[in-house]
């Protein structure tokens, strides 16, 4: 593989690790001033813009605009409080605006926690000795915890790539691809649809739209990166 292609692969691995962390923050808790500052930072805007420029996704271009708006709004206490209220109504407090932010209710026969799919998520966490800060507070198939797991794996994949441990990179990328397919892309369309109906301000609907686009792209990236790494091995 040419040096330019190797550099591009490294940049994409770093970019995805950062964006997985950003989406984890977005869906993880009622936002604080500090978290909105991170979402509206130049680093976040540049990371989202890089990927949007790469693929031309309208959902990602839209979230670039959303992130850009946070740069000035993070210091606005009333705005921060309105986002905190929206988060609580959508994801914390059962009521007319409530949306389940975890997998089980969307794929099971009933809106129940800890179904068979949750046990599979638990097994995949254990395979990589992953322990989230949210354990005991969120269901294990909560969207934020799953994004935390993917951010963790993405950082490990980038570190392994930098160290030349290509077999480890391939193992992690294959695990991530399979996890995204099995436990995120199978229900996020319904999650996004629920937010279109219930998120009056539209912020979390836009986050969900961008997340769906990002995950679909990342699933494809993992597949192509695995092929590139296989080609590198054959060249050696």
């Amino acid at each position: 593989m040419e040096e330019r292609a190797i550099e591009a692969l490294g940049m994409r691995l770093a970019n995805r690790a950062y964006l997985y962390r950003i989406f984890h923050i977005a869906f993880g808790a009622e936002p604080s001033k500090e978290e909105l500052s991170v979402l509206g930072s130049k680093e976040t805007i540049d990371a989202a813009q890089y990927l949007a420029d790469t693929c031309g996704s309208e959902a990602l271009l839209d979230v670039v605009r959303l992130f850009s708006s946070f740069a000035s709004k993070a210091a606005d206490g009333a705005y921060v409080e309105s986002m905190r209220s929206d988060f609580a109504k959508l994801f914390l407090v059962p009521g007319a605006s409530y949306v389940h932010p975890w997998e089980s209710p969307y794929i099971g026969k009933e809106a129940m926690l800890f179904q068979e799919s949750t046990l599979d998520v638990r097994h995949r966490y254990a395979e990589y000795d992953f322990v989230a800060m949210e354990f005991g507070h969120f269901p294990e198939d909560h969207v934020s915890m799953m994004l935390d797991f993917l951010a963790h794996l993405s950082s490990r994949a980038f570190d392994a790539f930098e160290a030349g441990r290509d077999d480890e990179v391939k193992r992690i990328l294959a695990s991530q691809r399979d996890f995204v397919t099995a436990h995120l892309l199978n229900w996020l369309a319904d999650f996004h649809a629920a937010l279109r109906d219930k998120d009056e301000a539209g912020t979390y609907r836009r986050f969900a739209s961008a997340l769906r686009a990002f995950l679909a792209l990342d699933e494809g990236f993992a597949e192509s990166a695995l092929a590139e790494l296989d080609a590198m091995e054959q060249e050696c």
Side-chain angles (χ1 to χ4, degrees), residues 36-58:
L36 280 186
S37 294
V38 171
L39 295 179
S41 68
K42 184 178 185 302
E43 291 79 7
T44 299
I45 294 166
D46 287 349
Q49 187 71 60
Y50 170 79
L51 191 58
D53 289 344
T54 300
C55 66
S57 164
E58 180 54 42

Side-chain angles (χ1 to χ4, degrees), residues 29-215:
E30 297 160 290
S32 65
K33 173 184 175 181
E34 291 72 24
E35 287 171 342
L36 280 186
S37 294
V38 171
L39 295 179
S41 68
K42 184 178 185 302
E43 291 79 7
T44 299
I45 294 166
D46 287 349
Q49 187 71 60
Y50 170 79
L51 191 58
D53 289 344
T54 300
C55 66
S57 164
E58 180 54 42
L60 289 171
L61 290 170
D62 179 63
V63 88
V64 170
R65 294 189 288 269
L66 181 60
F67 287 148
S68 298
S69 74
F70 292 151
S72 60
K73 292 179 178 177
D76 182 342
Y79 181 80
V80 175
E81 188 55 38
S82 72
M83 276 198 66
R84 292 176 63 84
S85 176
D86 289 343
F87 186 95
K89 287 189 295 184
L90 289 167
F91 305 125
L92 297 179
V93 182
S97 298
Y98 185 70
V99 174
H100 289 101
W102 61 87
E103 178 187 17
S104 299
Y106 296 94
I107 66 169
K109 294 180 180 179
E110 300 178 7
M112 297 171 59
L113 295 175
F114 304 114
Q115 299 187 43
E116 183 178 349
S117 62
T118 315
L119 295 177
D120 185 63
V121 169
R122 183 181 296 173
H123 171 76
R124 293 177 194 243
Y125 289 169
E127 182 182 355
Y128 285 93
D129 298 319
F130 173 71
V131 179
M133 292 186 297
E134 301 94 341
F135 273 127
H137 300 284
F138 288 163
E140 287 160 288
D141 58 349
H142 191 288
V143 62
S144 179
M145 194 181 297
M146 292 200 279
L147 293 170
D148 190 11
F149 173 60
L150 290 165
H152 171 74
L153 290 190
S154 297
S155 294
R156 286 181 56 170
F158 175 74
D159 291 343
F161 180 77
E162 290 283 281
R165 301 192 301 271
D166 290 351
D167 285 345
E168 183 178 352
V169 178
K170 288 166 61 177
R171 181 174 79 94
I172 294 171
L173 286 176
S175 294
Q176 287 186 288
R177 176 201 59 199
D178 295 345
F179 186 87
V180 167
T181 302
H183 291 292
L184 282 162
L185 292 180
N186 59 324
W187 64 279
L188 281 180
D190 292 335
F191 176 65
H192 182 206
L195 284 170
R196 282 200 303 268
D197 291 339
K198 298 184 178 183
D199 180 14
E200 294 181 2
T203 301
Y204 290 97
R205 168 187 54 76
R206 293 166 74 184
F207 279 147
S209 177
L211 177 60
R212 288 181 63 199
F214 170 66
L215 289 173

